[in-house]
Amino acid sequence: LILFGFIGFYDDYQKVKNRDVTKLEFVLYCNPPKTTKQASLRFAKGRCYHVKTANQNYKQLHDLVYPFRPLRPFDEPITLKVKWVYPWRKSQSKKSRLEGMIPCDTRPDCDNILKGFCDILQEAKYFKDDSQICSIAFEKWWGEIPRIEVCLRPFLDFEQAE
């Protein structure tokens, strides 16, 4: 089973080419994983391990975000905005599908998704340590086009923009 099919893009080609940016935005067109590393933790015979599918999802997501990493990791306080859009459920009514997107209130929890996603971004060298994240916004939706939208900026950029 392949969860991820299409890699996203930057809005500005020059940012991809140089990869030395102060603002990073990209979209991954894929089915966001429904399992998290926290949820896949199992204990057996006195040992702790992760379920194989969760590790595969984690690795695939890492492989998708890796090409968009900056040339140098952010070394300042940062703001992270993430939008996770799942494909419509088969049980979703046509009326609600016409609304465009509706909030997703099912598992996995937002905080568990973010923990794993921030770990992936840190491993891919987007920032030195996830403690640098001073402000975070996360949205989880049902929608027509499954995707993960990411925006990473220095913390002061958002303060000045608002």
Side-chain angles (χ1 to χ4, degrees):
L1 178 68
I2 297 176
L3 287 177
F4 305 103
F6 303 98
I7 294 181
F9 60 90
Y10 280 102
D11 290 331
D12 184 358
Y13 177 74
Q14 289 301 317
K15 290 181 182 177
V16 176
K17 189 175 172 185
N18 297 333
R19 291 193 317 171
D20 190 14
V21 296
T22 56
K23 172 185 165 188
L24 200 58
E25 288 183 321
F26 59 93
V27 178
L28 302 170
Y29 289 99
C30 62
N31 287 332
K34 291 234 177 209
T35 58
T36 61
K37 278 198 137 181
Q38 288 85 1
S40 67
L41 199 59
R42 301 289 185 262
F43 297 94
K45 299 179 184 177
R47 299 186 74 174
C48 176
Y49 66 96
H50 288 281
V51 177
K52 192 174 186 179
T53 56
N55 284 334
Q56 288 172 342
N57 294 345
Y58 191 84
K59 173 78 171 103
Q60 287 175 336
L61 193 53
H62 181 276
D63 291 345
L64 283 176
V65 301
Y66 192 77
F68 302 105
R69 72 194 184 287
L71 194 57
R72 290 185 308 269
F74 284 91
D75 58 357
E76 55 198 349
I78 54 177
T79 297
L80 175 66
K81 291 185 179 185
V82 180
K83 185 188 286 186
W84 214 259
V85 182
Y86 290 109
W88 291 116
R89 296 176 284 192
K90 291 179 182 176
S91 63
Q92 206 71 46
S93 70
K94 289 182 181 179
K95 182 181 177 183
S96 63
R97 289 182 186 217
L98 292 174
E99 294 176 15
M101 292 193 319
I102 58 171
C104 176
D105 59 354
T106 61
R107 291 186 179 264
D109 300 342
C110 292
D111 57 338
N112 290 333
I113 293 171
L114 270 171
K115 285 178 204 171
F117 193 67
C118 287
D119 290 344
I120 289 169
L121 292 177
Q122 183 176 337
E123 283 180 23
K125 307 245 186 279
Y126 279 75
F127 39 81
K128 293 180 180 177
D129 188 55
D130 57 6
S131 65
Q132 291 173 243
I133 302 172
C134 295
S135 173
I136 197 161
F138 184 82
E139 298 176 6
K140 196 171 63 160
W141 298 88
W142 297 107
E144 187 67 34
I145 303 170
R147 63 191 177 275
I148 300 171
E149 298 177 14
V150 181
C151 179
L152 192 66
R153 300 181 189 186
F155 182 68
L156 295 177
D157 282 1
F158 278 111
E159 293 298 313
Q160 293 169 354
E162 292 177 0

